């Protein structure tokens, strides 16, 4: 998915709803304290890399005002598995905006604002029998379908997506409107988790960031690459988790069954718990010197020089592979991060690459024109 738009409200200087559009490369230019850093920090919060504090609520807003961060995405997945092995589409579930984008709104509340709810901002049914389908369990969907007279012939009633489609199919007017569809209640919570797993990795690098051992992702860009690689294999990782948790649950159940034979009271007080692993913490990648000195212990100029070349390598790889990036790289004040000689070198290299691309396009165009000329001559003969 590609981020195309963000809208902020009640976040720092953005009291009133403010929308910023994004493209493949976006540069934010403005005077000091205009809100450039605030925008990047808001995105960092949206993508789950940071938390809000009491000073993040706009000073002009009420003390209990909600902070909202809404992002819209394009290049959406062809299918999404929200019903345990039964893929559907965001379009079929009417979870897209009128313009065909996926809009996700996150709402933060409290004195120290924390995430309280998440919504899909969608052109969605508001009919009383169709607006809540994503939050219903399978038995509830079957009851709704029967009560509404839906034709279930040929419908696989083990698939929630087909039941929802059958219910919508017998309602003449779904009363579609732009509404906030909850993604954190009942069965809809699963949909929110699936969508979250498909979102891009957001990596924010600040030129004035302190050098701390704990700031691994900021100091070592390879951690962003690890996160991106794990995103690509999310389905396989979910399958591994399901298999391992199922096998462990079997042993846990057998253990409690045996314990119940000897001490039923104790056995009834116990239950098994299996936590989902944080995959990116299992992989440690770093760039070190030949003497073993890590990046975050080097001088700021060296760290920034490594960082800027990480961006160059990543960008050229994406261009060569001709595929959409799965990572959003945000660099605060990039113009201050390098010695002027390095800035001039980067400008020259970029200019040379741009000129080379122009020559290749010109050559391809000349070759195409020559082929078309020969084809016209052949047709004339």
């Amino acid at each position: 998915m590609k981020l195309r738009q963000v809208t902020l409200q009640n976040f720092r200087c953005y009291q009133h709803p403010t929308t910023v559009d994004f493209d493949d490369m976006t540069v934010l230019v403005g005077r000091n304290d205009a809100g450039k850093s605030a925008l990047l920090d808001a995105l960092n919060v949206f993508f789950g890399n940071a938390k809000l504090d009491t000073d993040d609520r706009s000073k002009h807003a009420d003390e209990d005002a909600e902070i909202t961060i809404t992002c819209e995405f394009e290049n959406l997945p062809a299918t999404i598995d929200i019903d345990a092995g039964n893929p559907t589409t965001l379009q079929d579930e009417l979870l897209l905006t009128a313009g065909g984008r996926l809009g996700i709104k996150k709402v933060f509340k409290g004195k120290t604002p924390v995430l309280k709810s998440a919504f899909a901002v969608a052109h969605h049914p508001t009919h009383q029998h169709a607006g809540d389908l994503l939050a219903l369990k399978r038995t509830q969907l079957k009851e709704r379908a029967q009560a509404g007279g839906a034709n279930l012939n040929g419908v696989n009633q083990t698939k929630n997506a087909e039941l929802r489609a059958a219910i919508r199919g017998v309602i003449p007017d779904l009363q579609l409107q732009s509404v906030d569809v909850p993604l954190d209640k009942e069965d809809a919570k699963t949909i929110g988790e699936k969508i979250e797993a498909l979102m891009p990795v957001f990596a924010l690098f600040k030129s004035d960031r302190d050098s701390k051992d704990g700031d691994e992702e900021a100091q070592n860009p390879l951690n962003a690459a690890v996160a991106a690689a794990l995103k690509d294999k999310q389905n396989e990782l979910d399958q591994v988790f399901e298999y391992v948790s199922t096998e462990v649950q079997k042993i846990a159940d057998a253990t409690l069954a045996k314990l119940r034979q000897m001490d039923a009271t104790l056995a009834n007080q116990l239950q098994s718990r299996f936590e989902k692993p944080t995959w990116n913490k299992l992989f440690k990648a770093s760039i070190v010197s030949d003497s073993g000195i890590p990046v975050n212990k080097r001088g700021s100029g060296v760290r920034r020089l490594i960082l800027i070349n990480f961006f160059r390598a990543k960008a050229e790889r994406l261009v060569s592979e001709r595929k959409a990036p799965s990572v959003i790289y945000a660099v605060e004040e990039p113009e201050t991060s390098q010695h002027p000689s390095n800035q001039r070198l980067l400008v020259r290299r970029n200019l040379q690459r741009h000129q080379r691309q122009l020559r290749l396009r010109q050559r391809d165009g000349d070759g195409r024109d020559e082929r078309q000329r020969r084809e016209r001559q052949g047709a004339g003969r």
Side-chain angles (χ1 to χ4, degrees), residues 197-203 217 221-238 279-285 310 314 317-318 321 323-329:
L198 294 171
M199 286 186 183
V201 173
F202 184 78
E217 187 167 6
L222 292 187
N223 287 320
V226 168
L230 290 172
K231 284 273 187 180
D232 290 338
K233 296 296 181 181
Q234 188 63 52
N235 288 336
E236 290 90 333
L237 292 173
D238 287 343
W279 296 106
N280 62 306
K281 291 186 178 180
L282 301 179
F283 298 88
K284 301 298 182 182
F310 167 78
K314 184 66 176 179
R317 175 170 173 259
L318 292 171
E321 293 179 353
K323 71 175 185 179
S326 56
V327 186
I328 301 171
Y329 296 106

Side-chain angles (χ1 to χ4, degrees), residues 364-378:
D364 292 342
D366 292 343
R368 185 169 55 251
D369 293 342
E370 178 62 20
R371 287 193 300 273
Q372 292 174 349
R373 185 184 66 80
R374 291 177 180 175
E375 290 172 358
R376 287 195 298 268
Q377 287 179 343

Side-chain angles (χ1 to χ4, degrees), residues 66 87 109 128 294 365:
E66 300 176 349
K109 300 179 181 179
Q128 61 177 339

Side-chain angles (χ1 to χ4, degrees), residues 42-304:
L43 287 171
N44 213 28
V45 170
F46 178 90
F47 286 102
N49 301 328
K51 296 181 180 180
L52 299 174
D53 61 38
T54 54
D55 293 322
D56 284 321
R57 181 180 282 107
S58 174
K59 299 303 181 184
H60 303 289
D62 295 337
E63 62 179 11
D64 58 348
E66 300 176 349
I67 295 176
T68 63
I69 308 174
T70 306
C71 289
E72 290 193 5
F73 300 89
E74 290 182 346
N75 288 23
L76 306 176
T79 61
I80 181 170
D81 185 357
I82 61 176
D83 293 322
N86 300 314
T88 181
T89 70
L90 294 169
Q91 185 174 12
D92 288 344
E93 299 298 342
L94 301 173
L95 282 173
L96 302 182
T97 66
R101 290 178 172 177
L102 172 64
I104 302 296
K105 176 193 287 187
K106 295 189 176 182
V107 180
F108 302 82
K109 300 179 181 179
K111 183 176 181 180
T112 300
V114 295
L115 180 62
K116 286 297 184 181
S117 51
F119 304 90
V121 183
H123 201 53
H124 196 74
T126 59
H127 189 281
Q128 61 177 339
H129 297 312
D132 62 345
L133 296 183
L134 290 169
L136 300 184
K137 299 182 182 298
R138 186 170 301 157
T139 54
Q140 295 172 312
L141 288 171
K142 291 179 180 178
E143 293 171 359
R144 179 74 60 85
Q146 293 169 356
N151 183 5
L152 297 181
N153 291 331
V155 174
N156 187 338
Q157 297 185 37
T158 66
K159 296 184 177 182
N160 293 7
E162 293 193 22
L163 288 169
R164 289 191 292 265
I167 295 170
R168 297 187 192 108
V170 295
I171 300 176
D173 182 8
L174 293 173
Q175 302 172 19
L176 298 178
Q177 295 182 27
S178 180
V179 295
D180 294 343
V181 183
L183 294 178
D184 52 4
K185 295 180 180 179
E186 305 296 337
D187 278 15
K189 185 176 181 180
T190 302
I191 303 175
E193 293 173 349
K194 294 290 185 178
I195 291 175
E196 196 78 25
L198 294 171
M199 286 186 183
V201 173
F202 184 78
L204 173 59
F205 300 93
K206 294 188 174 184
S207 61
D208 59 351
R209 192 170 191 137
D210 293 337
S211 177
K212 298 178 182 178
D213 290 339
D215 289 340
E216 293 182 359
E217 187 167 6
Q219 305 299 337
N220 183 5
L222 292 187
N223 287 320
V226 168
L230 290 172
K231 284 273 187 180
D232 290 338
K233 296 296 181 181
Q234 188 63 52
N235 288 336
E236 290 90 333
L237 292 173
D238 287 343
Q239 292 174 6
V240 169
F241 172 75
E242 290 297 331
Y243 173 78
V244 173
S245 60
T246 299
E247 294 301 308
V248 171
Q249 187 65 49
K250 291 177 183 177
I251 298 299
D253 291 343
T255 301
L256 292 177
K258 292 297 183 183
L259 178 62
R260 197 168 286 110
Q261 296 174 359
M262 302 181 68
D263 191 334
T265 300
L266 176 60
N268 291 333
Q269 295 174 354
L270 304 176
Q271 60 181 348
S272 61
R273 184 175 66 184
F274 193 80
E275 297 182 0
K276 198 168 186 177
T278 304
W279 296 106
N280 62 306
K281 291 186 178 180
L282 301 179
F283 298 88
K284 301 298 182 182
S286 61
I287 297 175
V288 298
S289 68
D290 55 6
S291 56
I293 300 175
V295 170
N296 69 316
K297 298 302 182 183
R298 304 296 296 270
S300 61
V302 171
R303 294 200 310 273
R304 292 165 182 169

